[in-house]
Amino acid sequence: MMTYGFTESYYTQARKAGVIFIQYDLAEKPRVTPTDGSVEVIVFEPILRQKVRIYADLVVLATGIVPRLPKDLAESFGATLDRDGFFEEAESKWRPVDSLKEGIFACGLAHSPRNITESIATAEAAAQRALRILSHERMPAGKVLAEVRHSLCSLCERCIEACPYGARMVDPELEKVLVNAAMCQGCGSCATVCPNSASTLAGFLDQQMFDVIDSAFEGTA
Ligand code: SF4
Ligand code: SF4
């Protein structure tokens, strides 16, 4: 049994103070029955491998946190939810409050089960990330950007489906696939799915990549 991060020290303190933790299986939940002036708890103790009966003065239940983020709302902002139904972060270590879509941030319980200290920390982080955008009159584009070679593009739209950042769209008037430079993260997904080599990353031509791969494998055969 472990708690995450530094909260492990609370667990250690509780153990030292004599608190006994009993882990239970969902298939064998504890049974709680009110009795005269007390509460009887019967629970299977996995180390003793037998049921134990506890007469408790008080039973305090800690309820789980269930996400209730409206999927439609998240999707209308281009944010995605993870498999548990919480806000999906772009990268857990380096961009923990960012959505995959540039300019969308989440904090507190929208992000994941959080205590108050963590909720405040994520709120401050999200505000700081938003300020990074709001403090500029113009958004600087990323260093690596996708491009479209329109003469090769068949408008199949595979790159639009593949782009995790929603940075590509068809301009119906121009009849061209366009890249939103402020939203493109240079991930290269569009280039990998394009059947016509029409989608490229500036500065990363196919031949350059083949040369890099060749030199990496040189002498390994
Ligand atoms: S490189 Fe392509 S797939 Fe990746 S964010 Fe930019 S446009 Fe989207
Ligand atoms: S995948 Fe390639 S060919 Fe298809 S729309 Fe995108 S750039 Fe054009």
Side-chain angles (χ1 to χ4, degrees):
M1 191 185 293
M2 282 191 77
T3 56
Y4 66 95
F6 294 116
T7 49
E8 181 71 11
S9 64
Y10 294 128
Y11 175 66
T12 310
Q13 280 176 37
R15 289 294 307 270
K16 280 188 184 155
V19 176
I20 296 169
F21 291 87
I22 300 174
Q23 218 169 2
Y24 69 84
D25 202 79
L26 282 181
E28 212 161 2
K29 293 181 190 170
R31 220 181 59 226
V32 180
T33 320
T35 56
D36 279 343
S38 178
V39 186
E40 182 192 68
V41 182
I42 298 176
V43 58
F44 181 78
E45 217 298 343
I47 297 170
L48 299 176
R49 300 204 58 73
Q50 64 182 43
K51 287 188 176 172
V52 292
R53 180 179 277 113
I54 301 161
Y55 289 100
D57 297 325
L58 202 63
V59 171
V60 180
L61 302 176
T63 50
I65 292 173
V66 179
R68 287 187 59 196
L69 285 176
K71 202 163 179 256
D72 302 350
L73 183 68
E75 281 172 359
S76 67
F77 284 111
T80 43
L81 305 184
D82 64 18
R83 62 189 177 145
D84 295 320
F86 291 102
F87 172 88
E88 187 169 36
E89 60 206 358
E91 214 285 320
S92 59
K93 280 199 174 158
W94 308 114
R95 298 171 63 202
V97 296
D98 292 34
S99 139
L100 281 174
K101 187 156 182 184
E102 188 75 354
I104 309 286
F105 311 99
C107 56
L109 288 180
H111 186 282
S112 46
R114 296 280 163 188
N115 60 34
I116 290 176
T117 311
E118 291 165 345
S119 296
I120 292 171
T122 53
E124 287 176 347
Q128 266 191 356
R129 297 291 291 158
L131 267 179
R132 188 185 59 95
I133 296 173
L134 297 172
S135 60
H136 289 91
E137 277 190 21
R138 287 166 181 259
M139 276 291 290
K143 287 201 176 89
V144 180
L145 285 182
E147 291 176 339
V148 181
R149 290 193 277 182
H150 298 294
S151 58
L152 299 177
C153 177
S154 58
L155 293 173
C156 69
E157 300 189 21
R158 285 190 203 179
C159 55
I160 295 173
E161 285 164 29
C163 178
Y165 300 97
R168 299 172 80 93
M169 69 225 70
V170 175
D171 185 315
E173 281 178 21
L174 296 175
E175 294 188 348
K176 282 181 177 172
V177 171
L178 302 180
V179 178
N180 184 327
M183 287 160 71
C184 175
Q185 302 294 306
C187 69
S189 301
C190 51
T192 61
V193 298
C194 179
N196 303 331
S197 296
S199 186
T200 58
L201 286 187
F204 290 85
L205 297 177
D206 287 354
Q207 193 52 53
Q208 287 174 309
M209 291 297 100
F210 291 140
D211 290 345
V212 170
I213 293 166
D214 285 347
S215 60
F217 284 100
E218 215 163 73
T220 59

